[in-house]
């Protein structure tokens, strides 16, 4: 099995990563959510795994070393990992297998060697693993976790050499295996297959501390070989807890913000509902008080005495009543000559703008005196408006009514009781002189005042 198989495996992994890299799971149970900055006890941090793959002296850094043609052999291993944080874990790994190559580069020994096969009896290393791309805010867990690793290990291996022209293998070190340190550097992708199981695809280059891994020492560089592997990983611990390596802290912070925002919104909604209930209770109380106040102050007949105290309901409008709402005995009204003179003077001085109901200013003084006696003596007053026969009957009737109303409005504005003043219009229907002459028409344009 040649190095082309290694390249195909790496290409397949890259295609898988291109389709799914940074992808994350969309649906999670409630148990998958963990508050930001939660302690490690809230997660599953331990896991174990087994893997198998290809061992070859070919690496992505500088190809093969002492032999021209690297071959591929099957290797297998296992590991245990503890995830210390979202991005860093410690992993203890073990693997073994065979590494083989043929055709050594030219040297003094090339004429006597044809190939080698190094049996790795054990390789144990402790490495730090850095998980990448687990800070997307969209989902709580990452479906794929890319990672990079580096560490230090010890291995025991036994190179076997094959001489040129023979199939005889000779141990590089007949008395036992060679022991050497090595530095593993790798990268890979971890795929979620479920709550417990994951698929781990990786590629690791192992830098050996020495140039005798292939039983052939040439030049000044150390030997190295690669291990491309795929395997299954099993999370340990309670399934109710999420795995720390899959967990997305940024999404947890976003979720926490949304939860707090929802809680605050619910609290505000509850407070608004409580305030609305208080408002409704207050409105009901105000309505009850308003109804009670209306009942206490209702005055159906308008005599100034509330109904609950009114012993004489339905008193006619304008009737003077006592404290119990009953009519007072009418007082005798006496109209003096002076009162009549004030009224005559007001009639004499009353003038309007031509064709209008606007009172001229020089009429105000005499009307003020009429308002004064109406207030002081509580007289009633009838105002009767009249016109000549110039114009239509309807227009004259309206003008006479408007002029009488204008006088009433003025007297009321000076303090007279509106309910004791009556304003009517007769138009041209009650002339007191002939409308054939200017003097007669002048007399017919008038407003009569009647005290009673």
């Amino acid at each position: 099995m040649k190095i082309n198989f290694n390249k195909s495996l790496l290409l397949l992994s890259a295609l898988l990563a291109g389709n799914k890299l940074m992808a994350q799971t969309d649906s999670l149970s409630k148990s998958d959510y963990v508050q930001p900055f939660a302690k490690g006890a809230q997660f599953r941090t331990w896991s174990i795994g087994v893997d198998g793959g290809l061992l070859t002296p070919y690496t992505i850094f500088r190809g093969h070393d002492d032999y021209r043609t690297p071959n591929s052999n099957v290797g297998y291993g296992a590991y245990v990992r503890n995830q210390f944080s979202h991005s860093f874990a410690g992993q203890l790994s073990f693997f073994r297998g065979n590494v083989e190559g043929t055709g050594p580069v030219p040297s003094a020994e090339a004429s006597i060697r044809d190939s080698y096969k190094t049996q790795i009896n054990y390789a144990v290393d402790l490495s730090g693993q850095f998980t990448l791309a687990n800070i997307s805010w969209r989902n709580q867990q990452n479906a794929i976790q890319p990672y990079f690793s580096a560490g230090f290990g010890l291995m025991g291996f036994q190179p076997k050499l094959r001489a040129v022209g023979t199939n005889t293998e000779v141990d590089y070190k007949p008395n036992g295996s060679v022991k050497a340190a090595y530095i593993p550097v790798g990268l890979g992708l971890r795929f979620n297959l479920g709550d417990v199981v994951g698929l781990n695809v990786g590629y690791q280059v192992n830098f050996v501390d020495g140039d005798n891994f292939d039983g052939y020492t040439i030049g000044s560089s150390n030997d190295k070989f690669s291990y491309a592997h795929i395997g299954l990983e099993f999370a340990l611990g309670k399934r109710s807890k999420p795995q720390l390596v899959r967990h997305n802290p940024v999404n947890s912070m976003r979720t926490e913000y949304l939860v707090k925002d929802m809680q605050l919104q619910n609290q505000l909604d509850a407070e608004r509902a409580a305030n609305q209930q208080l408002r409704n209770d207050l409105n009901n109380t105000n309505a009850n008080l308003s109804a009670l106040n209306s009942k206490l102050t209702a005055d159906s007949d308008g005599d100034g005495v509330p109904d609950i105290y009114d012993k004489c309901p339905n008193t006619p409008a304008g009737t003077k009543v006592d404290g119990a709402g009953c009519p007072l005995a009418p007082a005798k009204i006496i109209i003096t000559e002076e009162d009549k003179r004030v009224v005559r003077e007001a009639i004499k001085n009353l003038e309007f703008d031509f064709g209008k109901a606007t009172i001229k200013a020089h009429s105000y003084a005499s009307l003020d005196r009429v308002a004064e006696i109406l207030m002081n003596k509580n007289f009633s007053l009838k105002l009767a408006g009249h016109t000549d026969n110039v114009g239509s009957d309807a227009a004259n009737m309206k003008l006479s009514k408007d002029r009488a109303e204008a006088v009433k409005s003025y007297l009321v504005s000076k303090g007279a009781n509106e309910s004791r003043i009556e304003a009517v219009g007769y138009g041209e229907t009650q002339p007191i002189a002939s409308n054939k002459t200017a003097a007669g028409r002048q007399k017919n344009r008038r407003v009569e005042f009647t005290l009673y």
Side-chain angles (χ1 to χ4, degrees):
M1 193 176 295
K2 304 299 182 181
I3 59 176
N4 289 337
F5 187 84
N6 276 345
K7 294 180 179 179
S8 300
L9 179 62
L10 292 176
L11 178 60
L12 178 60
S13 300
L15 290 175
L16 289 173
N19 290 330
K20 290 273 190 168
L21 186 59
M22 301 291 290
Q24 299 180 335
T25 56
D26 293 326
S27 58
L28 298 172
S29 63
K30 293 182 179 179
S31 62
D32 291 315
Y33 173 70
V34 178
Q35 288 185 330
F37 313 111
K39 295 181 179 180
Q42 302 295 321
F43 300 94
R44 284 181 288 172
T45 60
W46 286 93
S47 60
I48 59 174
V50 294
D51 54 50
L54 301 178
L55 287 165
T56 175
Y58 180 86
T59 70
I60 62 175
F61 292 100
R62 197 164 59 91
H64 52 83
D65 289 324
D66 299 342
Y67 286 78
R68 291 190 182 94
T69 305
N71 297 331
S72 298
N73 285 274
V74 175
Y76 57 92
Y79 60 87
V80 58
R81 190 181 74 253
N82 185 22
Q83 194 75 29
F84 298 110
S85 68
H86 288 89
S87 58
F88 180 74
Q91 179 168 306
L92 181 64
S93 302
F94 167 83
F95 69 90
R96 63 178 301 175
N98 295 321
V99 179
E100 184 178 359
T102 60
V105 297
S107 72
E109 300 180 11
S111 60
I112 62 174
R113 294 184 182 180
D114 179 66
S115 64
Y116 80 96
K117 177 187 290 185
T118 298
Q119 178 179 333
I120 303 174
N121 298 321
Y122 66 88
V124 180
D125 60 76
L126 181 63
S127 61
Q129 192 172 97
F130 301 87
T131 303
L132 310 174
N134 64 343
I135 57 173
S136 173
W137 56 266
R138 291 188 176 182
N139 299 287
Q140 290 180 347
Q141 287 191 0
N142 300 305
I144 300 177
Q145 303 94 45
Y147 65 85
F148 165 79
S149 65
F152 177 83
L154 296 173
M155 68 168 64
F157 56 90
Q158 189 170 3
K160 292 181 180 294
L161 308 177
R162 183 179 296 113
V164 174
T166 69
N167 291 324
T168 303
E169 292 184 347
V170 179
D171 290 335
Y172 170 73
K173 188 176 181 181
N175 296 329
S177 64
V178 180
K179 296 179 177 60
Y182 70 99
I183 296 177
V185 177
L187 52 83
L189 296 173
R190 187 176 294 106
F191 300 85
N192 296 342
L193 300 182
D195 291 338
V196 176
V197 183
L199 179 67
N200 188 11
V201 179
Y203 178 80
Q204 178 176 304
V205 177
N206 302 280
F207 297 87
V208 182
D209 183 23
D211 192 25
N212 57 357
F213 181 75
D214 53 8
Y216 186 27
T217 301
I218 183 172
S220 60
S221 62
N222 294 345
D223 289 335
K224 53 186 174 293
F225 63 95
S226 64
Y227 179 37
H229 56 84
I230 184 170
L232 295 178
E233 182 177 308
F234 303 89
L236 305 179
K238 295 181 179 179
R239 297 183 63 175
S240 59
K241 297 180 180 180
Q243 294 185 49
L244 183 57
V245 69
R246 300 182 184 182
H247 186 256
N248 184 350
V250 174
N251 179 265
S252 290
M253 296 179 68
R254 174 179 177 269
T255 303
E256 186 72 9
Y257 166 78
L258 294 176
V259 169
K260 295 296 184 183
D261 181 70
M262 183 179 297
Q263 290 175 347
L264 180 59
Q265 186 62 50
N266 292 338
Q267 182 180 354
L268 290 176
D269 291 342
E271 291 178 355
R272 289 194 185 102
N275 290 339
Q276 185 60 44
Q277 184 60 46
L278 290 175
R279 171 60 60 185
N280 293 339
D281 294 342
L282 181 59
N283 290 339
N284 292 335
T285 301
N286 290 337
N288 294 334
L289 291 176
S290 178
L292 179 60
N293 182 63
S294 298
K295 183 177 180 180
L296 294 174
T297 59
D299 184 10
S300 302
D301 54 10
D303 60 2
V305 179
D307 291 347
I308 60 173
Y309 303 116
D310 198 341
K311 295 182 179 180
C312 299
N314 303 319
T315 303
T319 303
K320 289 188 176 182
V321 297
D322 57 18
C326 295
L328 294 172
K332 186 176 182 180
I333 299 175
I334 300 176
I335 301 174
T336 65
E337 288 298 325
E338 178 61 21
D339 297 334
K340 295 177 182 180
R341 185 192 66 77
V342 171
V343 171
R344 287 195 301 270
E345 184 178 354
I347 295 173
K348 179 181 178 182
N349 295 331
L350 182 60
E351 290 187 16
F352 297 90
D353 290 340
F354 180 76
K356 298 180 180 180
T358 305
I359 302 172
K360 290 187 176 182
H362 70 263
S363 303
Y364 292 162
S366 56
L367 289 175
D368 290 345
R369 288 190 287 273
V370 174
E372 186 177 354
I373 65 174
L374 289 176
M375 290 187 294
N376 293 339
K377 297 189 177 183
N378 203 24
F379 287 155
S380 294
L381 176 66
K382 180 178 180 180
L383 300 170
H386 301 274
T387 65
D388 56 24
N389 66 347
V390 177
S392 65
D393 294 346
N396 287 334
M397 182 63 72
K398 182 178 184 305
L399 180 59
S400 64
K401 174 66 173 176
D402 290 346
R403 286 179 171 177
E405 288 289 348
V407 175
K408 178 180 178 180
S409 296
Y410 182 83
L411 295 175
V412 171
S413 70
K414 293 299 180 179
N417 188 347
E418 182 180 6
S419 65
R420 301 188 72 82
I421 302 175
E422 179 184 7
V424 295
Y426 294 99
E428 59 187 66
T429 62
Q430 296 181 8
I432 58 174
S434 174
N435 283 314
K436 294 181 179 181
T437 64
R441 288 193 295 274
Q442 176 65 35
K443 292 181 180 180
N444 289 334
R445 295 192 295 271
R446 69 197 186 277
V447 176
E448 295 177 344
F449 292 55
T450 305
L451 285 176
Y452 59 94

